[in-house]
Amino acid sequence: MKTQVLIVGAGPVGLTAAMDLASRGIDVIVAEIRHAGDPPSVKCNHVSARSMEVFRRLGVAARLREAGLPADFPNDCSYRTTATGIELCRIGIPCRASRYSATGGPDTWWPTPEPPHRINQVYLEPILFAHAAAQPRIAILPRTEIVDVALDGHGVVAQARNLDDGSSIRIEAAFLIGCDGSRSMVRKSIGATLSGTPVIQRVQSTYIEAPQLKELMLPHKPAWMVLSLNPRRSGTTVAIDGHDRWLIHNHLKPDEPDFDSVDRDWAIRAILGVGEDFRYTVLSEEDWVGRRLVADRFRDRRVFICGDAAHLWMPYAGYGMNAGIADAVDLSWQLAAHLNGWAPAAILDAYEAERQPITEQVSRFAMDHALAMMAQRGGGSAEIGDDTPRGHAARAAPARAAYGLNVQQYCCAGLNFGYYYDASPIIAYDGETPPSYTMGSFTPSTVPGARAPHLFLRDGRSLYDALGPGYTLLRFDRTIDIAALRAAAERRGVPLASVDIAADEAGNAYAEKLVLVRPDQHIAWRGMVEPDDCDALIARITGAAGVASEARPAAAGAV
């Protein structure tokens, strides 16, 4: 069995990589140990705006928007004394029915055609799987375990085992991507090791069915996430279907080192604020450990790792899965550029150079936020739940603190739009330092390496919908000649589209007259006129700047 790219793991990260590669004309095999249709874990509950932008480009965003919580179910985060107790504060987030049109909220101003989407992985993953399986260039092999990976001079040879009948399968590929999770066999095969903080917090997590709970939470307006803050037991209640199913996180304390340190039933009832007469059914136990671990390398020659195979951290802001999706997109367009023949293998050096530093940054944001939340959960007066003047006074400060700390997590504009690649071998830097960002804030910028600022064009289209599948040159003055840059791209076979945008359309978002945008929406170069050496620029952005031959690279097909 032969293919251009073999992907190990058909979770959201592996499926995104497969779909992105296929959209660029690359043949992919995906090996997955589960049966087709097996329900995924109820792990991730949030798809970031950046991930939704990717899914928009891949043609699956609209289907995802239609799934998950009921259309009118508020996506708010409500802080209460218990899930059924007194509300301290609320972070308002629009329901999906008004997601595109809502105004006035902490994330409704975001410069994107695709706001974030609150959807649990049990709904997300089947839609991605079905969309990927329908692509003619993608072959998904369920119940297939990759047991060995070997590199030769021409590609990768993987030995696989069918988990149903025990038969062996040999798969030859030009490249392999490990999206096989925290216990990644692919990571081990390339000799990569994880380092960092192995335990930040343990969480006793339980997926339950409780038809009574929604009614017991009244008179409060429903909320996607309800966070209980009280000295007895703090925890989180996540609405999965908006009706009967809930995920309960019991955040264990530092002196509770094991998942069974606290009685599970007692903790659930304490977090919910219900008595012994409350009935529920445990659907699964989903205990997890929050960590901050990053692999010391993301690649060994033709083998790469993405997502949890490359990094593990506290899933705050939903950025475990979403960071993995960003990994997949960054790698897939570079692989496709090489396999389609318009970039040498050196372009692939950019993947680790770009993604590993971002992983370090974001994982530290998540860890610092986790530590702050742990401190917040540990505080609070015993009177916080009392319906008295003293109780009201006891709730005031925790309410302000909870909103101030957590609005940046649940409306994390900085993590979506602020990060940049500042040490990439395929970006033409000009000496300007990109603006700093935090978890919750950022400054739009055209500094090379940053995300191209979004805007809606005069005809109503999103700028991102107008971009080509390869590089796109944005021109803000039609009188500027771009013939030399087009010719240089053509000589190397580099796909280069152009979009003319009137200066008044761009507003203050773009100061330069020319901005070159990569396939992943990051900026590769900018200038007021064409560069003096257009061939050198094209060589830089395709990884050919350090390659001896300036001839167009040969296409690298399947082995």
Side-chain angles (χ1 to χ4, degrees), residues 204 232-233 250 253 256 262-272 274 276 280:
Q204 185 191 71
R232 187 177 179 220
R233 179 57 51 174
N250 171 25
K253 300 176 182 179
E256 297 167 347
V262 177
D263 181 77
R264 189 176 298 265
D265 176 71
W266 173 86
I268 289 171
R269 295 181 187 279
I271 290 165
L272 297 180
V274 297
E276 292 297 323
Y280 68 91

Side-chain angles (χ1 to χ4, degrees), residues 258-313:
D258 302 308
F259 290 125
D260 58 359
S261 295
V262 177
D263 181 77
R264 189 176 298 265
D265 176 71
W266 173 86
I268 289 171
R269 295 181 187 279
I271 290 165
L272 297 180
V274 297
E276 292 297 323
D277 58 338
F278 177 76
R279 303 296 181 189
Y280 68 91
T281 302
V282 174
L283 301 176
S284 62
E285 295 180 0
E286 304 284 344
D287 302 340
W288 52 275
V289 178
R291 315 176 188 275
R292 197 199 73 81
L293 298 172
V294 180
D296 58 351
R297 56 170 150 165
F298 287 13
R299 174 195 184 188
D300 178 15
R301 292 164 287 173
R302 291 174 173 266
V303 179
F304 301 82
I305 52 175
C306 293
D308 285 355
H311 43 73
L312 298 164
W313 63 67

Side-chain angles (χ1 to χ4, degrees), residues 312-368:
L312 298 164
W313 63 67
M314 294 291 288
Y316 286 109
Y319 259 73
M321 179 193 74
N322 291 292
I325 289 172
D327 293 342
V329 171
D330 190 58
L331 176 59
S332 62
W333 81 262
Q334 295 168 26
L335 276 174
H338 177 54
L339 288 166
N340 285 327
W342 56 266
I347 194 174
L348 303 176
D349 295 340
Y351 171 62
E352 184 176 291
E354 293 179 353
R355 292 305 303 167
Q356 194 175 42
I358 294 301
T359 295
E360 285 283 354
Q361 291 175 27
V362 175
S363 65
R364 290 188 185 279
F365 277 138
M367 183 175 74
D368 291 347

Side-chain angles (χ1 to χ4, degrees), residues 4-10 13-18 20-21 26 28-31 146 149 156 173-181 184-187 189-190 298 302-307 309 324 327-333 335-336 339 348 351:
Q4 290 176 288
V5 178
L6 170 62
I7 296 174
V8 184
V13 175
L15 292 170
T16 300
D20 198 277
L21 285 163
I26 305 303
V28 181
I29 288 176
V30 184
I146 302 299
V149 174
V156 182
F175 295 94
L176 183 148
I177 308 174
C179 304
D180 50 340
S184 173
M185 184 281 294
V186 178
R187 181 182 66 237
S189 77
I190 67 173
F298 287 13
R302 291 174 173 266
V303 179
F304 301 82
I305 52 175
C306 293
D327 293 342
V329 171
D330 190 58
L331 176 59
S332 62
W333 81 262
L335 276 174
L339 288 166
L348 303 176
Y351 171 62

Side-chain angles (χ1 to χ4, degrees), residues 76-83 86-89 91 223-230 233-238 249 251 271 316 373 376-377 402 406 409-410:
D76 300 354
C77 298
S78 171
Y79 285 80
R80 304 175 188 174
T81 54
T82 66
I86 300 170
E87 186 167 270
L88 281 69
C89 66
I91 300 171
W224 162 63
M225 188 172 284
V226 177
L227 301 102
S228 305
L229 293 178
N230 65 73
R233 179 57 51 174
S234 293
T236 304
T237 303
V238 185
H249 295 315
H251 306 282
I271 290 165
Y316 286 109
M373 287 193 68
Q376 189 176 78
R377 292 190 197 103
N406 292 292
Q409 176 195 172
Y410 296 114

Side-chain angles (χ1 to χ4, degrees), residues 409-458:
Q409 176 195 172
Y410 296 114
C411 303
C412 50
L415 294 192
N416 273 275
F417 312 121
Y419 71 83
Y420 49 84
Y421 301 136
D422 62 357
S424 173
I426 60 170
I427 292 175
Y429 298 105
D430 56 17
E432 184 175 343
T433 302
S436 61
Y437 68 101
T438 67
M439 180 180 280
S441 65
F442 80 107
T443 302
S445 173
T446 60
V447 173
R451 168 185 180 264
H454 179 262
L455 54 89
F456 284 102
L457 303 177
R458 185 168 288 124

